[in-house]
Amino acid sequence: MILVVDSGSSKSDWKLELPDSPPLSFSTNGLNPFFVNDKEITRVIKEIPEIIPYANEITELYFYGAGCISPDRREMVSNALTPLFENAFISVENDLVGSALATCGKNKGYIATLGTGSDISFFDGEEVQPSKYGNGYVLGDEGSGAWFGKKLITLFLYGRLPKDLAENFAEHYRVTKEIVIKNVYQKERPNAYLASFAPFLSANITHPFIDEIVRSGFEEYVQTCVLTYQDYQDYECHFVGSIAYYLDLILRDVCNGHHIKIGKILKSPINELFDFVIEREKSSLINF
């Protein structure tokens, strides 16, 4: 039995191969090792009711996660998974690898994430090249949910949102300076907290002020991340994440303005990623 996980900072998607029935799918909180430790990862998994009956039967576990960019972070996640899946071979990779497999497959192309955070890298058909982006919500994450959430909160607290938007925002969110500071500087998952305000954008996308915020955020992402690759026009650029998915019309417009070839735009890569992994493992068994 094979278990595939795509983990972001806000949400993790799990899909388990079952022998005599359709795959089992479920979601949990995000398990980014920069914001949760190994004990928290273990706690979250232990509370997944769907996985308990199958834990000892799982033979392969492929975890693709945000924040798994260095050996020590990948080891942290692996150490948290090992006691729970004692009979499984466990592989932990960066989420960009999972997104590349889900979108590019075995072809070359750019893979861009626009979810809670943002990143981009080039996939050469076999490996994802190291990324200099994805530096987190403080130092980067242009065009991400956290970036847009920070923008909305700042404008609201500064009293710079148009009156109709400010009233609408206040009706949907409880935001004060004290609440924001506590959630951003004192609690876990501050990037997920900031990104939780991003749905306000899609709900009010027809408002000219919101349109301009989204457009400027994507423009900054494209200018900062995509255009720095000299051959960006030679390959398709695939996008993965809820921000890209729900705000795709403006994203497409901005990309078209820079002659970026858009490939797939996926809200989550889990289904395509699961299919790729299952097919790859079956092929390896046949060839072996």
Side-chain angles (χ1 to χ4, degrees):
M1 296 174 66
I2 297 176
L3 176 61
V4 180
V5 187
D6 171 67
S7 178
S9 294
S10 298
K11 183 169 73 82
S12 297
D13 293 317
W14 304 64
K15 197 162 185 176
L16 174 64
E17 177 193 37
L18 296 178
D20 300 314
S21 59
L24 178 64
S25 300
F26 50 93
S27 299
T28 66
N29 285 337
L31 300 174
N32 186 328
F34 274 98
F35 299 106
V36 295
N37 57 34
D38 52 351
K39 292 181 180 179
E40 173 66 9
I41 294 173
T42 300
R43 185 195 65 78
V44 170
I45 298 174
K46 281 184 175 179
E47 295 178 357
I48 303 174
E50 295 92 340
I51 207 71
I52 294 174
Y54 305 105
N56 291 328
E57 299 179 52
I58 294 171
T59 56
E60 299 176 55
L61 195 167
Y62 297 93
F63 186 100
Y64 301 90
C68 298
I69 58 177
S70 62
D72 61 324
R73 299 292 172 175
R74 292 194 290 271
E75 184 179 6
M76 179 195 298
V77 175
S78 180
N79 289 341
L81 296 171
T82 299
L84 303 170
F85 304 99
E86 297 180 351
N87 300 318
F89 161 79
I90 297 175
S91 171
V92 179
E93 295 283 357
N94 183 20
D95 61 334
L96 272 177
V97 175
S99 295
L101 298 178
T103 54
C104 297
K106 297 181 180 180
N107 300 316
K108 295 180 180 180
Y110 285 96
I111 175 63
T113 56
L114 282 172
T116 298
S118 68
D119 204 348
I120 187 171
S121 186
F122 181 71
F123 181 62
D124 64 9
E126 294 183 358
E127 295 182 352
V128 173
Q129 301 303 308
S131 171
K132 60 183 177 181
Y133 303 105
N135 295 322
Y137 72 103
V138 175
L139 301 177
D141 279 355
E142 296 83 3
S144 69
W147 190 94
F148 283 122
K150 182 165 61 175
K151 191 80 170 177
L152 282 171
I153 292 172
T154 302
L155 290 169
F156 178 76
L157 292 178
Y158 285 175
R160 294 179 182 173
L161 281 179
K163 183 179 179 180
D164 57 335
L165 284 177
E167 292 176 351
N168 190 354
F169 191 81
E171 288 178 4
H172 288 84
Y173 303 101
R174 186 166 174 259
V175 173
T176 65
K177 183 177 181 179
E178 292 73 21
I179 291 174
V180 170
I181 289 177
K182 184 175 183 179
N183 280 277
V184 172
Y185 296 103
Q186 299 176 10
K187 291 189 174 183
E188 291 183 342
R189 298 187 176 95
N191 57 339
Y193 168 75
L194 291 171
S196 69
F197 296 92
F200 187 80
L201 297 172
S202 56
N204 295 276
I205 197 61
T206 57
H207 196 291
F209 192 86
I210 296 296
D211 180 275
E212 180 57 32
I213 290 176
V214 174
R215 201 169 294 274
S216 65
F218 285 153
E219 184 67 35
E220 183 165 348
Y221 173 80
V222 167
Q223 292 281 354
T224 302
C225 302
V226 183
L227 301 190
T228 57
Y229 290 92
Q230 293 184 353
D231 62 351
Y232 75 91
Q233 294 181 338
D234 296 337
Y235 301 95
E236 285 188 325
C237 184
H238 305 279
F239 291 88
V240 173
S242 58
I243 295 299
Y245 183 81
Y246 287 113
L247 302 172
D248 69 306
L249 293 180
I250 296 179
L251 176 62
R252 291 179 184 277
D253 194 32
V254 172
C255 286
N256 288 336
H258 294 282
H259 307 289
I260 297 170
K261 299 177 182 177
I262 296 180
K264 297 177 181 178
I265 298 181
L266 303 178
K267 179 183 177 182
S268 167
I270 188 62
N271 290 326
E272 289 81 359
L273 177 58
F274 177 83
D275 291 342
F276 181 92
V277 170
I278 295 298
E279 183 61 31
R280 181 188 65 189
E281 297 310 305
K282 287 182 179 178
S283 297
S284 65
L285 287 175
I286 293 173
N287 294 331
F288 181 79

